[in-house]
Amino acid sequence: DGGITQSPKYLFRKEGQNVTLSCEQNLNHDAMYWYRQDPGQGLRLIYYSQIVNDFQKGDIAEGYSVSREKKESFPLTVTSAQKNPTAFYLCASSIGPRFMNTEAFFGQGTRLTVV
Amino acid sequence: AQTVTQSQPEMSVQEAETVTLSCTYDTSESNYYLFWYKQPPSRQMILVIRQEAYKQQNATENRFSVNFQKAAKSFSLKISDSQLGDTAMYFCAFMYPHHQGAQKLVFGQGTRLTINP
């Protein structure tokens, strides 16, 4: 079945450590997105990518980094520079600019907790 | 900046009633797309309905319909004959071309909808 897989579902990090969240899709989508969800603040865009080896900062990119070495994969690293990383993280993908009317498909999310 | 605003943090209605969720957006773009997503307690995001800005006709999907007012930059969602399974967070979203044609997708703050038996 085609879809988006995020792993792990739950992740615990010690303060000062970097941690990487995985996002893989087999939908042959060009566009991929990372969002952070906090209570009462909706989904805030961290990074997005439309093509391999290219990505753009979203609205809250500070303290995060991404890579897009393969079309299928868009991992997100939460660095020690992110002061409040505890949140629910969602990855999404869409067909991309080739087709303008493109809905986004979402993974199941990763709950990151700093301990 | 392109923004999406949902002014109703929470709403509650009785089963079978009709409810309307509000959404406004701010943009200078002429070509864009609007969406409503549902997030039930499982936290899986589910597309409810979409609207192309160039289409004047309001989109409809079974019990879900939108009232798209382009000049007013308003995009409300109406749920008719509400059901217990409609209980969820609802997010309004806006997709527009940005940075060399890349499509940027931004969301509102969400409205928590509760359907009471």
Side-chain angles (χ1 to χ4, degrees):
Chain A
D1 289 334
I4 301 177
T5 302
Q6 288 186 245
S7 61
K9 189 172 182 179
Y10 298 98
L11 189 57
F12 297 89
R13 190 195 92 173
K14 292 182 180 180
E15 285 193 31
Q17 286 184 338
N18 292 355
V19 64
T20 297
L21 283 60
S22 172
C23 179
E24 303 275 336
Q25 54 98 359
N26 60 4
L27 300 167
N28 198 32
H29 285 174
D30 286 320
M32 296 188 76
Y33 306 82
W34 272 107
Y35 294 91
R36 170 179 173 143
Q37 185 176 14
D38 297 283
Q41 297 198 48
L43 275 66
R44 293 185 290 169
L45 181 63
I46 305 173
Y47 270 97
Y48 62 111
S49 168
Q50 300 290 298
I51 195 171
V52 173
N53 293 324
D54 188 41
F55 47 83
Q56 289 77 42
K57 292 182 178 180
D59 300 317
I60 57 164
E62 185 176 353
Y64 300 97
S65 66
V66 292
S67 63
R68 188 85 187 275
E69 297 178 1
K70 299 186 301 181
K71 187 176 183 178
E72 304 78 20
S73 178
F74 192 41
L76 174 74
T77 297
V78 185
T79 74
S80 57
Q82 172 49 238
K83 298 305 179 187
N84 184 23
T86 294
F88 187 65
Y89 292 86
L90 280 164
C91 179
S93 73
S94 66
I95 293 177
R98 294 180 290 121
F99 300 94
M100 289 303 294
N101 182 10
T102 55
E103 69 179 272
F105 294 83
F106 285 81
Q108 300 274 24
T110 294
R111 174 71 184 176
L112 173 63
T113 303
V114 173
V115 297
Chain B
Q2 325 280 342
T3 59
V4 179
T5 302
Q6 295 179 247
S7 59
Q8 305 151 310
E10 295 188 26
M11 295 188 73
S12 178
V13 298
Q14 296 297 120
E15 193 176 6
E17 289 184 344
T18 294
V19 60
T20 298
L21 308 182
S22 301
C23 173
T24 58
Y25 58 95
D26 185 21
T27 183
S28 56
E29 299 288 336
S30 58
N31 184 24
Y32 54 87
Y33 299 84
L34 296 159
F35 306 87
W36 278 98
Y37 281 87
K38 167 184 176 180
Q39 187 183 46
S42 67
R43 306 199 82 167
Q44 178 66 52
M45 295 286 285
I46 302 165
L47 178 69
V48 175
I49 199 165
R50 81 183 84 186
Q51 174 80 45
E52 294 90 339
Y54 62 85
K55 288 188 177 180
Q56 293 184 335
Q57 186 174 5
N58 289 324
T60 300
E61 289 286 344
N62 300 315
R63 298 182 294 108
F64 299 89
S65 62
V66 299
N67 183 3
F68 175 46
Q69 301 290 328
K70 190 171 184 178
K73 297 179 183 176
S74 172
F75 182 60
S76 61
L77 173 70
K78 185 172 81 171
I79 305 175
S80 303
D81 186 26
S82 57
Q83 301 175 359
L84 297 178
D86 295 332
T87 293
M89 282 289 290
Y90 285 81
F91 293 99
C92 179
F94 168 66
M95 179 181 280
Y96 62 96
H98 182 255
H99 186 72
Q100 299 177 350
Q103 291 179 323
K104 190 172 182 180
L105 177 63
V106 294
F107 286 78
Q109 305 92 324
T111 296
R112 183 176 300 281
L113 176 64
T114 302
I115 310 299
N116 298 307

